[in-house]
Amino acid sequence: MGRIRLENITKNFGGLQVLKGINLEIEEGELVVFVGPSGCGKSTLLRQISGLDKPSSGAILINDRDVTEVSAADRGLAMVFQSYALYPHMTVKLNLAFGLQNAKMPKAEIETRIADAARMLEITPLLSRRPGQLSGGQRQRVAIGRAIVRDPTAFLLDEPLSNLDAELRVSMRAELGALHARLGATMIYVTHDQVEAMTLADRIVVLRGGQIEQVAAPIDLFERPANRFVAGFIGAPSMNFLTPEEAASLNGTPPAGAALIGVRPQHLEPADSGLTLTVTLVEALGTETVIHGEIAGGKRLLLTLPGHRPVQVGGQLTVNADPARLHFFDAQDQRIG
Amino acid sequence: MRSDVKTWIGAGVTAPVRLLAQMADVPLRQWQRLAGRGGMIGFFLLPNMLIFGVFVLVPLGINFAYSVTGGTAVFLPDRSYVGGANFDRLLDCTNHFDPNSCRDDVFWIAVWNTVRFVGLQVTAMTICAMITALILNSKIRARAFWRAVFFFPVLLSPVVVGLIWRWILQRQGLLNYLLYQFDAEQVNWLTERGWAFTAAVGVSVWAHVGFYALILLAGLQAIPRDLYEAAEMDGTKPARAFWRITLPLLWPNLLVVIVLSLIRAVQVFDEVYVLTGGGPGTSTLYLTQYIYEVGFASTLRNSGVASAASLLMGGVLVVLTLLQLGLTRWRDRK
């Protein structure tokens, strides 16, 4: 198992700085998820850790050993690619064996490792097939199997579920979680899917513009976002942001210096007094109803109510929130309190 | 103003086309009314079919007719029917591997020269095309420029290729001049048997390598980068990655290159004819040149034997073409 430390990692592509001094410690056996919008540098950061790219400056330490200049193969890591990157001309068994053969591992040991991984991932009947003869989910398992047989210090997973359909993604997500629990291995997981991040992670690293915005456990990110970006990025639908003037009719008093008040759609509920909005759109999802509306001044506001609520488009709705559920940000978009 | 000029120029360029289309519209509509949609297909195919017929099918038939006639007369009605005598003359050998034991020894010299040429040229071509494609696929400076440089010889006429290289390789050519400048021994590149054969192969490879490199380059670019990254993570050394990943995935393109270059090498003529004229002696005399010389260049033109030889060569080409078709379909099915 591996402990990974990133010290002031930067990465430049020509004149463009994609990673701007990343510092991070990942503990043994931890599942850390890198999340952020497209172009935030999460995959680039993973590639620096993997050794497929070299950082422009900074150091990468695995189990306290500086591996910044060490080749990808010698870092003892295994990577699961978004496209699975299975060798299409080799059988599943050969795909699993290829890396071990490169390491000149004895045949018997290779056989044992493949058999164990195949049993764990339930791909034993697929060993003689080629990737082209497998479904998306089966390919995904093989890709994970290829990582497992190497018994790596840590697993790096680059959006491994993004090529699967919604239903399969849910089941594979659960399997990945179970696999992490079973192996107890250090895993770094890149995704843009918040649900994957929230359900799988021990800790989430939120990135924006090549910088870490916040590192925290999923529920802490949701309940105590460090700044406006994290508050808006984590949670679906996104948090509503109001100026103190717009939020004047809500319960509670903003602390001194609050320039922005955030309230999640799930934390707004119909009330006798509060913000009055004109309903512009109603999305009935069965399990919940998402209501889009506009408050005085034209600011858009979203709220999510449990179950089915017969709300009329064009109608008026007054909503309010528990003051404890409000988030306050200063003029620099940093959290207050 | 600028867009007005553009519109005006555009209208000027398209006006004749529009006029022609309008002129053709009325008779074509009437023809479609008479012949129906099926008839229109035939109508549009007719010009091509006529060209194909006049320049391929009819000559093929005439060639077959000539191959069963004898004598030196040019016109078919003046020639005598000899049946398979021309084929007998070509194929009559005590030992086919020894041209001296054959009735038409020059034909068999040309056959074995061609076999040797094909073997060496196709091997050299495939290796050179592969190396070129690998280099052009790597991260080199001015990659587009180098791609154009390697493809440029393909655009040259074979006669021009032959002339350029004759100018370089002849006894008092550029290469010997350079050797002289460096006090090195000069070589008779085109008049020594071994060197002439090597020069013929080399020039042919130089002239065509760009085309085959392009086919392989397309194949290389179709291999996902992820596979190499996965291999890198798996600790694969570059040479092993080439043998275990690149080569198997490039195999379909490689097959096309091998078969196409095989077909082209069997037909080798123009650039080598200009370069060496088939010499010294008969060391670079290949089948097409044999056919040309027997049928057209010698004082006593033997069109019957030349036709029979070209039919035999055609048979080989048909087999190779069918092989290519079969392999392409097999690849598509995979």
Side-chain angles (χ1 to χ4, degrees):
Chain A
M1 295 310 109
R3 192 171 63 254
I4 297 170
R5 194 160 85 235
L6 308 179
E7 290 178 354
N8 208 21
I9 298 292
T10 67
K11 179 69 183 175
N12 304 325
F13 290 113
L16 183 71
Q17 190 165 46
V18 180
L19 297 175
K20 300 169 182 169
I22 302 282
N23 290 291
L24 182 68
E25 282 208 38
I26 297 166
E27 296 302 325
E28 258 182 44
E30 201 176 16
L31 198 161
V32 169
V33 174
F34 293 170
V35 75
S38 295
C40 69
K42 52 190 187 293
S43 287
T44 308
L45 184 57
L46 192 77
R47 290 176 65 83
Q48 314 306 307
I49 299 170
S50 71
L52 292 173
D53 268 343
K54 294 268 185 295
S56 304
S57 67
I60 298 166
L61 289 91
I62 298 175
N63 290 336
D64 297 326
R65 173 183 162 231
D66 189 341
V67 296
T68 318
E69 296 301 321
V70 174
S71 73
D74 296 329
R75 293 189 182 193
L77 305 172
M79 187 151 168
V80 177
F81 292 82
Q82 184 177 359
S83 64
Y84 317 131
L86 298 175
Y87 310 119
H89 54 294
M90 297 183 195
T91 61
V92 168
K93 189 174 180 180
L94 274 175
N95 265 282
L96 299 181
F98 191 64
L100 306 180
Q101 289 171 345
N102 288 341
K104 304 212 179 334
M105 188 176 280
K107 268 187 180 174
E109 172 72 11
I110 294 176
E111 292 288 338
T112 311
R113 285 197 185 198
I114 291 175
D116 289 347
R119 207 176 308 116
M120 186 188 296
L121 295 163
E122 295 170 12
I123 54 170
T124 309
L126 311 176
L127 286 177
S128 57
R129 292 201 204 163
R130 291 191 179 190
Q133 299 166 306
L134 305 178
S135 68
Q138 289 170 332
R139 282 181 212 184
Q140 182 56 259
R141 282 165 199 266
V142 176
I144 295 168
R146 186 168 64 180
I148 288 176
V149 291
R150 294 190 56 207
D151 190 18
T153 313
F155 290 81
L156 311 178
L157 302 106
D158 188 6
E159 305 209 28
L161 305 184
S162 61
N163 282 348
L164 302 178
D165 61 53
E167 197 180 337
L168 200 54
R169 201 181 303 173
V170 173
S171 64
M172 280 305 290
R173 197 172 68 209
E175 284 190 34
L176 272 175
L179 189 72
H180 175 243
R182 199 182 321 154
L183 294 173
T186 309
M187 289 187 176
I188 304 177
Y189 189 107
V190 166
T191 183
H192 60 265
D193 185 326
Q194 282 183 41
V195 183
E196 278 173 31
M198 297 294 281
T199 52
L200 286 172
D202 293 323
R203 280 192 303 156
I204 295 177
V205 177
V206 183
L207 288 145
R208 180 175 63 150
Q211 283 176 315
I212 292 179
E213 292 287 327
Q214 189 174 0
V215 183
I219 201 66
D220 292 340
L221 273 187
F222 188 79
E223 292 186 342
R224 293 187 58 79
N227 54 42
R228 180 186 175 171
F229 171 76
V230 177
F233 189 77
I234 299 292
S238 286
M239 184 182 277
N240 298 296
F241 293 104
L242 303 164
T243 61
E245 295 75 33
E246 287 167 340
S249 52
L250 287 177
N251 293 335
T253 314
L260 209 60
I261 292 136
V263 56
R264 295 203 180 277
Q266 296 83 355
H267 297 153
L268 282 169
E269 49 194 24
D272 296 333
S273 64
L275 274 172
T276 301
L277 57 103
T278 308
V279 178
T280 55
L281 177 69
V282 178
E283 294 172 319
L285 305 178
T287 53
E288 59 183 20
T289 306
V290 182
I291 298 164
H292 299 243
E294 278 180 8
I295 58 171
K299 168 77 69 75
R300 288 183 62 220
L301 199 79
L302 254 81
L303 69 143
T304 308
L305 301 176
H308 177 62
R309 302 289 179 103
V311 181
Q312 288 295 313
V313 173
Q316 303 265 307
L317 192 64
T318 302
V319 294
N320 215 323
D322 177 353
R325 296 291 198 177
L326 297 181
H327 304 264
F328 303 102
F329 303 96
D330 63 18
Q332 284 75 47
D333 289 336
Q334 298 304 309
R335 182 180 187 84
I336 301 173
Chain B
M1 179 64 188
R2 210 170 149 181
S3 70
D4 283 352
V5 173
K6 271 188 181 171
T7 315
W8 183 78
I9 293 171
V13 171
T14 55
V17 181
R18 225 178 295 141
L19 185 71
L20 269 174
Q22 279 167 3
M23 282 167 66
D25 192 46
V26 176
L28 278 177
R29 277 177 190 281
Q30 280 179 347
W31 171 252
Q32 186 172 352
R33 217 167 290 144
L34 281 171
R37 274 175 173 262
M40 289 310 287
I41 294 170
F43 177 82
F44 286 117
L45 281 178
L46 194 64
N48 240 348
M49 293 306 290
L50 271 176
I51 291 168
F52 184 71
V54 170
F55 291 103
V56 178
L57 290 180
V58 173
L60 193 67
I62 293 173
N63 192 52
F64 181 76
Y66 269 89
S67 72
V68 290
T69 61
T72 53
V74 174
F75 295 108
L76 201 54
D78 303 334
R79 298 174 63 84
S80 54
Y81 177 75
V82 296
N86 292 324
F87 293 95
D88 284 344
R89 175 187 150 170
L90 290 173
L91 300 175
D92 185 14
C93 278
T94 317
N95 174 8
H96 286 93
F97 293 101
D98 177 15
N100 292 327
S101 72
C102 300
R103 186 151 37 125
D104 193 332
D105 56 342
V106 181
F107 173 72
W108 282 98
I109 287 171
V111 166
W112 288 116
N113 277 351
T114 307
V115 169
R116 270 202 302 278
F117 178 86
V118 168
L120 190 63
Q121 198 257 16
V122 171
T123 309
M125 179 76 84
T126 310
I127 293 170
C128 288
M130 176 64 95
I131 293 169
T132 309
L134 286 170
I135 292 170
L136 293 179
N137 194 43
S138 60
K139 287 176 187 166
I140 51 168
R141 272 174 188 272
R143 192 157 59 164
F145 168 76
W146 290 114
R147 283 180 188 173
V149 165
F150 277 96
F151 193 72
F152 181 69
V154 179
L155 305 175
L156 294 177
S157 146
V159 175
V160 173
V161 170
L163 286 172
I164 290 171
W165 280 99
R166 197 169 72 184
W167 181 69
I168 295 170
L169 297 172
Q170 64 194 355
R171 195 179 172 80
Q172 286 165 333
L174 182 68
L175 189 56
N176 273 342
Y177 172 75
L178 290 174
L179 288 173
Y180 173 74
Q181 294 297 317
F182 289 102
D183 290 331
E185 196 182 337
Q186 294 182 320
V187 179
N188 292 323
W189 302 107
L190 301 178
T191 50
E192 273 182 28
R193 297 181 74 90
W195 281 120
F197 177 71
T198 312
V201 171
V203 169
S204 174
V205 168
W206 178 84
H208 304 293
V209 73
F211 175 71
Y212 299 109
L214 210 65
I215 295 175
L216 294 179
L217 184 61
L220 284 173
Q221 290 183 341
I223 300 175
R225 221 183 102 187
D226 280 0
L227 293 186
Y228 292 105
E229 292 187 339
E232 198 180 334
M233 294 297 295
D234 274 342
T236 316
K237 299 244 168 12
R240 187 167 152 86
F242 175 77
W243 289 109
R244 295 296 304 270
I245 295 168
T246 307
L247 213 54
L249 293 177
L250 203 58
W251 181 237
N253 295 61
L254 209 56
L255 216 56
V256 171
V257 164
I258 291 170
V259 177
L260 280 183
S261 61
L262 207 66
I263 291 170
R264 211 155 172 177
V266 173
Q267 294 170 296
V268 62
F269 173 55
D270 19 29
E271 65 246 23
V272 177
Y273 184 67
V274 174
L275 188 72
T276 64
T282 53
S283 58
T284 58
L285 175 78
Y286 303 117
L287 256 180
T288 314
Q289 189 182 336
Y290 168 85
I291 292 164
Y292 165 71
E293 285 185 346
V294 171
F296 301 99
S298 59
T299 332
L300 288 173
R301 293 175 179 179
N302 197 336
S303 310
V305 172
S307 299
S310 65
L311 279 179
L312 289 174
M313 191 175 131
V316 173
L317 289 175
V318 166
V319 170
L320 292 176
T321 309
L322 289 176
L323 179 72
Q324 194 229 335
L325 268 175
L327 289 172
T328 310
R329 284 183 186 160
W330 170 74
R331 186 192 72 175
D332 291 345
R333 272 204 306 275
K334 276 190 90 180

PDB file of all heavy atoms in Angstrom, chain A residues 48 80 101 133 147 221 256 274 276 294 335:
ATOM      1  N   GLN A  48       0.880  13.250 -13.958  1.00  0.00           N
ATOM      2  CA  GLN A  48       2.165  13.556 -13.307  1.00  0.00           C
ATOM      3  C   GLN A  48       2.459  12.484 -12.263  1.00  0.00           C
ATOM      4  O   GLN A  48       3.590  12.014 -12.150  1.00  0.00           O
ATOM      5  CB  GLN A  48       2.156  14.935 -12.601  1.00  0.00           C
ATOM      6  CG  GLN A  48       1.586  16.089 -13.388  1.00  0.00           C
ATOM      7  CD  GLN A  48       2.219  16.272 -14.750  1.00  0.00           C
ATOM      8  OE1 GLN A  48       3.422  16.363 -14.874  1.00  0.00           O
ATOM      9  NE2 GLN A  48       1.392  16.302 -15.790  1.00  0.00           N
ATOM     10  N   VAL A  80      -5.914   2.741 -14.576  1.00  0.00           N
ATOM     11  CA  VAL A  80      -7.081   2.308 -15.352  1.00  0.00           C
ATOM     12  C   VAL A  80      -7.500   3.517 -16.198  1.00  0.00           C
ATOM     13  O   VAL A  80      -7.782   4.578 -15.655  1.00  0.00           O
ATOM     14  CB  VAL A  80      -8.233   1.856 -14.434  1.00  0.00           C
ATOM     15  CG1 VAL A  80      -9.459   1.481 -15.260  1.00  0.00           C
ATOM     16  CG2 VAL A  80      -7.802   0.685 -13.581  1.00  0.00           C
ATOM     17  N   GLN A 101       4.632 -10.278 -17.682  1.00  0.00           N
ATOM     18  CA  GLN A 101       5.670 -10.855 -18.546  1.00  0.00           C
ATOM     19  C   GLN A 101       6.809  -9.851 -18.733  1.00  0.00           C
ATOM     20  O   GLN A 101       7.986 -10.227 -18.774  1.00  0.00           O
ATOM     21  CB  GLN A 101       5.068 -11.221 -19.911  1.00  0.00           C
ATOM     22  CG  GLN A 101       4.140 -12.421 -19.867  1.00  0.00           C
ATOM     23  CD  GLN A 101       3.389 -12.619 -21.168  1.00  0.00           C
ATOM     24  OE1 GLN A 101       3.337 -11.725 -22.008  1.00  0.00           O
ATOM     25  NE2 GLN A 101       2.793 -13.782 -21.326  1.00  0.00           N
ATOM     26  N   GLN A 133     -14.773  -8.657 -28.149  1.00  0.00           N
ATOM     27  CA  GLN A 133     -15.906  -9.556 -27.918  1.00  0.00           C
ATOM     28  C   GLN A 133     -16.549  -9.322 -26.549  1.00  0.00           C
ATOM     29  O   GLN A 133     -17.359 -10.123 -26.112  1.00  0.00           O
ATOM     30  CB  GLN A 133     -15.429 -11.017 -28.013  1.00  0.00           C
ATOM     31  CG  GLN A 133     -14.866 -11.364 -29.376  1.00  0.00           C
ATOM     32  CD  GLN A 133     -14.096 -12.681 -29.355  1.00  0.00           C
ATOM     33  OE1 GLN A 133     -13.188 -12.861 -28.545  1.00  0.00           O
ATOM     34  NE2 GLN A 133     -14.470 -13.578 -30.240  1.00  0.00           N
ATOM     35  N   ALA A 147      -4.895  -3.908 -13.679  1.00  0.00           N
ATOM     36  CA  ALA A 147      -4.236  -3.128 -12.620  1.00  0.00           C
ATOM     37  C   ALA A 147      -4.018  -3.997 -11.374  1.00  0.00           C
ATOM     38  O   ALA A 147      -2.947  -3.960 -10.761  1.00  0.00           O
ATOM     39  CB  ALA A 147      -5.091  -1.913 -12.279  1.00  0.00           C
ATOM     40  N   LEU A 221     -17.486  18.833   2.316  1.00  0.00           N
ATOM     41  CA  LEU A 221     -17.510  19.700   1.129  1.00  0.00           C
ATOM     42  C   LEU A 221     -18.914  20.235   0.898  1.00  0.00           C
ATOM     43  O   LEU A 221     -19.106  21.390   0.537  1.00  0.00           O
ATOM     44  CB  LEU A 221     -17.110  18.904  -0.126  1.00  0.00           C
ATOM     45  CG  LEU A 221     -15.654  18.770  -0.483  1.00  0.00           C
ATOM     46  CD1 LEU A 221     -15.542  18.097  -1.832  1.00  0.00           C
ATOM     47  CD2 LEU A 221     -14.980  20.124  -0.544  1.00  0.00           C
ATOM     48  N   ALA A 256     -21.114  40.002   9.709  1.00  0.00           N
ATOM     49  CA  ALA A 256     -20.449  41.182   9.150  1.00  0.00           C
ATOM     50  C   ALA A 256     -19.491  40.758   8.046  1.00  0.00           C
ATOM     51  O   ALA A 256     -18.815  39.739   8.171  1.00  0.00           O
ATOM     52  CB  ALA A 256     -19.677  41.888  10.250  1.00  0.00           C
ATOM     53  N   GLY A 274     -40.835  35.085   3.593  1.00  0.00           N
ATOM     54  CA  GLY A 274     -39.508  34.816   3.025  1.00  0.00           C
ATOM     55  C   GLY A 274     -39.405  35.380   1.622  1.00  0.00           C
ATOM     56  O   GLY A 274     -39.982  36.439   1.322  1.00  0.00           O
ATOM     57  N   THR A 276     -40.246  35.614  -2.204  1.00  0.00           N
ATOM     58  CA  THR A 276     -41.356  35.246  -3.092  1.00  0.00           C
ATOM     59  C   THR A 276     -40.812  35.147  -4.507  1.00  0.00           C
ATOM     60  O   THR A 276     -40.118  36.043  -4.989  1.00  0.00           O
ATOM     61  CB  THR A 276     -42.468  36.307  -3.027  1.00  0.00           C
ATOM     62  OG1 THR A 276     -42.899  36.388  -1.661  1.00  0.00           O
ATOM     63  CG2 THR A 276     -43.652  35.918  -3.892  1.00  0.00           C
ATOM     64  N   GLU A 294     -38.112  33.027 -10.435  1.00  0.00           N
ATOM     65  CA  GLU A 294     -37.401  34.317 -10.443  1.00  0.00           C
ATOM     66  C   GLU A 294     -37.910  35.147  -9.277  1.00  0.00           C
ATOM     67  O   GLU A 294     -39.124  35.221  -9.054  1.00  0.00           O
ATOM     68  CB  GLU A 294     -37.692  35.077 -11.747  1.00  0.00           C
ATOM     69  CG  GLU A 294     -36.823  34.614 -12.895  1.00  0.00           C
ATOM     70  CD  GLU A 294     -37.124  35.376 -14.175  1.00  0.00           C
ATOM     71  OE1 GLU A 294     -37.891  36.361 -14.133  1.00  0.00           O
ATOM     72  OE2 GLU A 294     -36.596  34.956 -15.222  1.00  0.00           O
ATOM     73  N   ARG A 335     -15.392  31.574   2.436  1.00  0.00           N
ATOM     74  CA  ARG A 335     -16.428  31.284   3.426  1.00  0.00           C
ATOM     75  C   ARG A 335     -16.224  32.104   4.714  1.00  0.00           C
ATOM     76  O   ARG A 335     -15.099  32.293   5.169  1.00  0.00           O
ATOM     77  CB  ARG A 335     -16.376  29.785   3.764  1.00  0.00           C
ATOM     78  CG  ARG A 335     -17.421  29.348   4.746  1.00  0.00           C
ATOM     79  CD  ARG A 335     -17.323  27.872   5.054  1.00  0.00           C
ATOM     80  NE  ARG A 335     -18.444  27.494   5.875  1.00  0.00           N
ATOM     81  CZ  ARG A 335     -19.647  27.175   5.401  1.00  0.00           C
ATOM     82  NH1 ARG A 335     -19.837  27.142   4.096  1.00  0.00           N
ATOM     83  NH2 ARG A 335     -20.644  26.884   6.200  1.00  0.00           N
TER      84      ARG A 335
END
